[in-house]
Amino acid sequence: MEYHSNNNNNRDGSAAVNAASGSKNRKPATAQQLIRENVKYLIEQLEAGHSETLTAYLNAMANFHMYSFGNVLLIARQRPQATHVAGIRTWNELGRRVKRGEKGIAILAPMIGKRRKKENTDAGTEEEANTSTLLGFRRVFVWDEFQTEGASLPSIGEVTGEAGVYLDRLRNFVQAQGIALEYNERIAPAFGMSYGGRIALLPGQTKAEEFAVLVHEIAHERIHKSERRTATTKVVRETEAEAVAFVVSKAIGLNPKSSASYIQLYHGNAELLMESLEVVQQTSAVILGAIRMEVPAPAEVQEPQSAPDAPPEDAGYSPAPADFAEAAEPAA
């Protein structure tokens, strides 16, 4: 179960969704254009000294790890404090109502439809065949929990400052990946080391510290023991691993240190920053899906590409299906 929130106004949200098209009345041409616009905005904020913008993006990855990368950026830009989001219909089913005057958070919902094509039959005639396909995406609205009022929400699996069962699950995840895990005092002063197929941790750490360090090293194993290693610098690799540790730790209720200061190393390179943030989001989602024992979202909800022509259906309160939240105007 998930919700989400942001702290900017809806005007910025509408601009964020439509920025790629250059018109407030047109939909963005592609999801990738939308992502680039939001990454450009992030760089502008960082260059202006607003490092909290990156922290908001990382927090959004933690809260909404099953959302597509583009929607994570949209939520973070419009409402940085968002924690739990859903459409109006879902909130109503949970016994809550959107407060009067609250502006919705604009995200993109994939559009699945039927596309006709001609097929040759055995008789040599052509027949029309309907095939389900991703038609594109459209703007829909969700609202954060703090924009609603009513019945209390259930609190399932909350963790505050403790690794809880997640440390054991993380160790199991490492084993399932075929990675050996050992504890070795000789790696000091390092807290953890990744060797490619083997991770060593410094013994004696608290469970919360061990959890964050282990996530950091898993990130290295997943994204830096391949051709990507030769395409990045050591500082970039450490930054990405630290960001993954921040996102995953934050998502289970720990209080990790922010990775915001590291982002300066990108020196305004939007493409490099976009690539790194997407790698961080995808890697975090895999780890969180494993330790929360979640079912992955269908591939077709990840990257909608062109403008659709029919409204999506509200799929409820769970995080990934919220990408299908009902289209709705801001609350009256």
Side-chain angles (χ1 to χ4, degrees):
M1 293 185 177
E2 299 250 356
Y3 334 71
H4 315 282
S5 83
N6 261 336
N7 208 22
N8 295 352
N9 56 35
N10 197 61
R11 180 177 64 252
D12 185 48
S14 298
V17 172
N18 290 292
S21 68
S23 170
K24 195 168 185 177
N25 296 319
R26 292 164 53 196
K27 298 179 179 67
T30 67
Q32 284 301 311
Q33 278 186 300
L34 180 64
I35 291 170
R36 289 189 181 93
E37 288 293 331
N38 280 286
V39 171
K40 178 182 177 182
Y41 169 79
L42 171 59
I43 289 176
E44 291 172 350
Q45 292 296 301
L46 292 171
E47 289 178 343
H50 304 305
S51 62
E52 69 276 5
T53 306
L54 176 64
T55 302
Y57 277 38
L58 296 179
N59 283 336
M61 288 183 189
N63 289 327
F64 313 113
H65 64 276
M66 290 184 71
Y67 276 64
S68 65
F69 180 52
N71 277 338
V72 168
L73 297 180
L74 283 172
I75 293 168
R77 180 170 175 179
Q78 295 168 76
R79 198 171 180 85
Q81 295 91 342
T83 55
H84 306 119
V85 301
I88 283 183
R89 186 185 307 169
T90 299
W91 285 127
N92 291 348
E93 291 174 353
L94 291 168
R96 297 183 70 85
R97 297 291 183 272
V98 175
K99 297 175 185 176
R100 183 177 296 275
E102 290 288 346
K103 303 296 184 180
I105 302 166
I107 63 172
L108 297 178
M111 305 298 299
I112 308 298
K114 297 288 186 180
R115 180 164 290 165
R116 291 181 176 180
K117 66 178 182 179
K118 297 288 187 178
E119 285 189 351
N120 292 326
T121 66
D122 294 337
T125 60
E126 288 188 341
E127 292 184 356
E128 290 187 345
N130 291 330
T131 304
S132 294
T133 185
L134 177 63
L135 301 178
F137 62 90
R138 75 188 304 265
R139 186 174 66 182
V140 299
F141 294 93
V142 292
W143 283 261
D144 181 39
E145 174 188 357
F146 293 100
Q147 296 178 286
T148 68
E149 56 190 0
S152 299
L153 294 172
S155 55
I156 299 177
E158 289 188 356
V159 181
T160 304
E162 297 290 340
V165 299
Y166 294 113
L167 179 56
D168 287 335
R169 291 180 184 176
L170 189 63
R171 292 168 178 156
N172 292 338
F173 174 70
V174 170
Q175 183 178 13
Q177 301 301 301
I179 301 171
L181 177 61
E182 63 182 43
Y183 295 83
N184 193 333
E185 294 180 351
R186 289 178 294 180
I187 68 170
F191 295 105
M193 295 290 292
S194 167
Y195 298 99
R198 179 169 63 94
I199 292 175
L201 299 179
L202 185 69
Q205 301 180 67
T206 67
K207 288 186 176 182
E209 290 169 340
E210 181 181 332
F211 181 90
V213 171
L214 185 52
V215 172
H216 181 110
E217 302 308 330
I218 292 172
H220 280 312
E221 290 285 324
R222 291 189 63 87
I223 60 181
H224 298 142
K225 302 301 180 184
S226 63
E227 65 277 2
R228 183 171 174 78
R229 181 177 181 84
T230 61
T232 55
T233 66
K234 176 177 173 57
V235 178
V236 167
R237 292 193 295 273
E238 287 301 317
T239 300
E240 291 173 346
E242 189 67 15
V244 171
F246 176 93
V247 170
V248 175
S249 298
K250 188 81 173 180
I252 69 160
L254 300 180
N255 299 301
K257 294 180 180 178
S258 171
S259 299
S261 59
Y262 290 112
I263 211 66
Q264 300 300 337
L265 65 94
Y266 291 95
H267 301 300
N269 187 329
E271 291 299 322
L272 179 58
L273 178 56
M274 182 174 71
E275 179 186 335
S276 279
L277 286 176
E278 193 158 11
V279 165
V280 167
Q281 190 263 343
Q282 292 173 350
T283 305
S284 301
V286 169
I287 297 172
L288 284 167
I291 65 176
R292 285 180 164 178
M293 301 179 178
E294 296 167 334
V295 177
E300 63 266 18
V301 310
Q302 296 301 320
E303 288 298 340
Q305 294 296 329
S306 60
D309 54 10
E313 209 175 305
D314 183 80
Y317 180 58
S318 57
D323 276 348
F324 295 90
E326 72 269 14
E329 294 303 320

